[in-house]
Amino acid sequence: MRILHTSDLHFGQVIYQHYDRLDEHKHFFEQLSNFIDKYHPDVLLMSGDIYDVALPAASVWTDFNSEIVKLHRRYPELNIVIVAGNHDSASRIESHSKVWQLAGITVVGTPPPILNSAPEGWEERYIVQLPTGFVIAIPYMSGDRTETLIHLQEYVAASNIDNLPVVMTGHLAVVGSDLEGHNQEIGSMRTVSLDRFGSSYDYLALGHIHKAQTLGRKTIYDENANVYPAPVARYSGSVVHVSEDENYPHSVSLVDIDKHGGDVTIRQLRLKQLRHFVTLPTDNASPFESSKDALEFLKKFIETADKVYFRFRFSQNALIPADFNSIVYDIIDKSGKDLRYNPRMIFVASDDEVISNNDEGKHQLELEDIKQMTDPREFIRKTARSYPGLTENEIDELFCEVESYIKKSDA
Ligand SMILES: [Mn+2]
């Protein structure tokens, strides 16, 4: 069974209350289509956060539907399974599901019931049986439904006489996942144990966390085919940078499963981005001390830059005139370039101050932040400003060296 796992499209996102990202999402669908051409998956999974908001504009529904219909026309044999995420309206997505069913496309919005209140035959709604395997389609759920999920896996097992692969979807944050890119939510994000999903699936196709990662493995972008014994749980990650904090490659996951309880082979297919996010000044230079410095930098930057989102990083002492943002918008308009401005600038203390004022300010890590960190490198990255002599690359290299040493002595 071969699946193409995607999640967190956030289709219809309008960023900085100003910029429509439709062309970026169309660009994603073009790449997706090319991957399907090349790899011929049995099923395309979309593990939630299909839309950016619960009530997207009518044009957003139309555009999304057009993309899915285009895929279906081009690959009528491809099974498509779409589940709702926390950003989606479960009932709205569900309300269209019967129409999608006509094209053999499964759309699940509302979560499965609590076991003892479930009507007869409810399981069929959540199970997609293909010639090559099973998909248990589980959308975002706020409550605990462990018994329900285990029941669904047992239900599949009862008819799985040929030992075909079993895939399940889910949309939530699992304990121990790398939350990079969710900087605003860290500390408030609820994480649950992976045990809640049972263990009779071969591949758990997760959404919600935007950084691609296989649970229990280090989260680096890796184009190689990695083989793991089932069960494996993985986040495919978001398809475009949903915010400037998502400073990592985006990809879709191509997953091959040979049989139930067999091997799971995962390959990351890199998604190109139409636009990137930058913070000015670039290259970790010192923050701007004045709005005049920033505008001068911008005028030079514009000469070569195109198709970028940008924001400014100022020293916390910089004084910003009230009309600063409108001046920036004017400069962009006159440039004729595709530049998109985030008017929320960031203010940072200078390096000396961070060290002397460590009790307050932006560089202070909350205990909750630290608890969420599974990779010591993340801690070092976030506190790097306190150690001016260290570079991130050197630290990364040293960690890799230690890691490979440990691996060798384990083997
Ligand atoms: Mn999301």
Side-chain angles (χ1 to χ4, degrees):
M1 183 187 200
R2 170 168 278 190
I3 64 178
L4 204 50
H5 171 200
T6 74
S7 75
D8 296 271
L9 278 68
H10 291 261
F11 199 92
Q13 187 188 19
V14 173
I15 198 165
Y16 312 142
Q17 299 169 341
H18 198 70
Y19 305 108
D20 183 317
R21 307 191 73 182
L22 180 62
D23 58 351
E24 292 170 272
H25 281 112
K26 284 184 171 229
H27 183 236
F28 157 70
F29 272 103
E30 279 163 27
Q31 295 177 80
L32 188 64
S33 188
N34 292 338
F35 292 146
I36 296 166
D37 264 343
K38 190 167 173 193
Y39 296 104
H40 307 287
D42 303 313
V43 56
L44 169 67
L45 300 178
M46 293 188 173
S47 298
D49 284 2
I50 308 305
Y51 298 103
D52 190 52
V53 292
L55 293 176
S59 64
V60 172
W61 286 95
T62 307
D63 290 329
F64 181 78
N65 293 354
S66 307
E67 293 300 332
I68 298 296
V69 167
K70 223 193 287 175
L71 279 183
H72 174 67
R73 289 227 167 101
R74 202 160 163 194
Y75 314 101
E77 303 301 314
L78 176 69
N79 293 280
I80 302 178
V81 176
I82 298 172
V83 299
N86 58 312
H87 277 248
D88 302 306
S89 160
S91 53
R92 278 186 178 250
I93 281 203
E94 183 83 23
S95 69
H96 295 212
S97 64
K98 286 208 168 73
V99 180
W100 287 118
Q101 202 70 61
L102 295 174
I105 297 169
T106 305
V107 178
V108 178
T110 49
I114 292 167
L115 264 194
N116 50 21
S117 66
E120 188 79 7
W122 65 272
E123 295 92 344
E124 296 300 326
R125 174 81 194 96
Y126 297 91
I127 294 168
V128 186
Q129 185 169 359
L130 313 173
T132 53
F134 294 84
V135 179
I136 305 175
I138 303 298
Y140 167 74
M141 305 187 283
S142 53
D144 183 0
R145 296 270 202 288
T146 307
E147 281 181 18
T148 301
L149 300 184
I150 290 174
H151 170 81
L152 281 168
Q153 288 165 67
E154 286 167 352
Y155 187 90
V156 165
S159 56
N160 191 8
I161 40 173
D162 293 325
N163 239 13
L164 297 176
V166 179
V167 172
M168 192 153 78
T169 65
H171 189 94
L172 83 186
V174 169
V175 173
S177 41
D178 178 348
L179 301 179
E180 185 184 349
H182 294 267
N183 306 18
Q184 309 297 323
E185 301 152 86
I186 284 180
S188 66
M189 196 185 259
R190 211 170 66 94
T191 55
V192 304
S193 161
L194 190 57
D195 301 343
R196 282 214 187 170
F197 282 93
S199 59
S200 307
Y201 56 81
D202 296 302
Y203 182 79
L204 182 60
L206 292 167
H208 194 49
I209 305 296
H210 288 184
K211 186 176 187 179
Q213 56 194 287
T214 302
L215 271 287
R217 311 280 160 174
K218 59 179 177 192
T219 57
I220 51 165
Y221 174 73
D222 185 356
E223 286 182 11
N224 299 317
N226 287 296
V227 186
Y228 306 107
V232 176
R234 177 171 171 83
Y235 289 99
S236 64
S238 48
V239 301
V240 300
H241 301 297
V242 174
S243 79
E244 51 264 277
D245 297 326
E246 296 184 18
N247 210 352
Y248 35 71
H250 297 265
S251 59
V252 296
S253 300
L254 184 72
V255 183
D256 287 289
I257 310 165
D258 58 351
K259 60 170 191 263
H260 184 50
D263 281 338
V264 179
T265 306
I266 299 170
R267 265 184 288 177
Q268 277 182 268
L269 310 178
R270 176 89 182 246
L271 292 166
K272 295 195 181 90
Q273 301 291 305
L274 204 57
R275 292 190 187 82
H276 287 277
F277 287 79
V278 297
T279 300
L280 306 182
T282 41
D283 301 328
N284 290 327
S286 309
F288 294 119
E289 295 294 336
S290 73
S291 57
K292 189 167 156 280
D293 290 352
L295 292 174
E296 265 166 28
F297 188 100
L298 176 64
K299 282 174 189 157
K300 283 212 187 74
F301 173 75
I302 272 182
E303 289 170 13
T304 55
D306 204 14
K307 288 203 181 298
V308 291
Y309 292 100
F310 72 97
R311 65 178 169 178
F312 290 110
R313 186 161 43 94
F314 280 103
S315 151
Q316 66 182 8
N317 306 317
L319 295 173
I320 312 298
D323 62 347
F324 179 76
N325 284 336
S326 59
I327 296 172
V328 173
Y329 285 122
D330 276 351
I331 293 173
I332 296 170
D333 284 349
K334 285 195 187 111
S335 77
K337 296 282 193 73
D338 178 5
L339 301 169
R340 298 183 160 198
Y341 176 52
N342 176 1
R344 276 184 64 182
M345 39 206 97
I346 46 178
F347 291 90
V348 292
S350 74
D351 288 344
D352 302 348
E353 283 163 323
V354 174
I355 293 164
S356 57
N357 281 333
N358 227 355
D359 295 338
E360 51 175 20
K362 294 174 190 293
H363 304 290
Q364 177 72 3
L365 288 168
E366 298 288 339
L367 181 60
E368 277 311 309
D369 296 351
I370 298 168
K371 277 190 192 160
Q372 301 276 7
M373 289 179 191
T374 52
D375 184 346
R377 269 171 285 190
E378 198 185 338
F379 177 79
I380 292 166
R381 239 173 263 138
K382 294 205 167 133
T383 55
R385 294 171 63 87
S386 314
Y387 309 101
L390 294 176
T391 78
E392 223 176 273
N393 279 346
E394 285 168 6
I395 296 165
D396 266 329
E397 272 169 30
L398 288 169
F399 264 95
C400 289
E401 212 176 295
V402 172
E403 224 162 41
S404 69
Y405 180 79
I406 291 170
K407 266 193 189 154
K408 265 183 218 148
S409 58
D410 274 352

